[in-house]
């Protein structure tokens, strides 16, 4: 009976962590996007010629390092996209701690699908 209480307490902590991950991920993403937007509105320049928008991670990271507004905004978008992926990873841990092997397998499959989709999106 004591182990069920410990597991219930740990699951409550995991749920709190998952909620915080989502909150922090959205807030950090919004701040990054607002910084890029503020730079764009202040300078009137996207950081790139023509209508180019960086989409590849290497281009986004390089552009962010060079303080290019569009790259910074895209970094915020990527952070927003990765937030639920991190939630899936934490869920795998939570299901593992509950010894719920079916949900571990299903959630791991979801993680692989998300990673495959991200890779397809990155590499076209």
């Amino acid at each position: 009976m004591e182990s069920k209480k410990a597991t219930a307490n740990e699951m409550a902590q995991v749920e709190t962590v998952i909620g915080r991950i989502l909150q922090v991920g959205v807030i950090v993403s919004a701040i990054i996007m607002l910084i890029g937007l503020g730079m764009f509105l202040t300078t009137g320049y996207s950081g790139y010629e023509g209508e180019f928008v960086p989409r590849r991670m290497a281009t986004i990271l390089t552009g962010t390092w060079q303080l290019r507004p569009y790259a910074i905004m895209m970094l915020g978008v990527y952070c927003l996209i990765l937030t639920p992926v991190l939630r899936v990873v934490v869920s795998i841990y939570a299901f593992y701690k509950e010894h719920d092997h079916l949900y571990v397998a299903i959630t791991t499959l979801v993680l692989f699908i998300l990673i495959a989709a991200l890779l397809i999106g990155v590499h076209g």
Side-chain angles (χ1 to χ4, degrees), residues 28-42:
V28 167
S29 299
I31 289 170
I32 293 170
M33 285 187 267
L34 286 173
I35 289 170
L37 180 63
M39 290 174 64
F40 175 69
L41 293 175
T42 301

Side-chain angles (χ1 to χ4, degrees), residues 7 11 91-108:
T7 302
M11 288 305 104
S91 295
I92 291 171
Y93 170 77
F95 292 135
Y96 174 79
K97 291 301 280 184
E98 287 181 345
H99 304 288
D100 196 339
H101 302 294
L102 176 62
Y103 280 106
V104 168
I106 291 169
T107 310
T108 302

Side-chain angles (χ1 to χ4, degrees), residues 19-37 64 71-83 86:
R20 292 282 181 234
I21 287 171
L22 295 174
Q23 288 174 340
V24 169
V26 169
I27 291 169
V28 167
S29 299
I31 289 170
I32 293 170
M33 285 187 267
L34 286 173
I35 289 170
L37 180 63
T64 300
I72 294 170
M73 287 187 277
M74 288 301 293
L75 180 65
V77 170
Y78 269 87
C79 288
L80 188 62
I81 291 169
L82 291 176
T83 299
L86 184 56

Side-chain angles (χ1 to χ4, degrees), residues 60-76:
I60 291 169
L61 292 176
T62 302
T64 300
W65 183 255
Q66 296 169 346
L67 298 176
R68 296 178 179 212
Y70 274 16
I72 294 170
M73 287 187 277
M74 288 301 293
L75 180 65

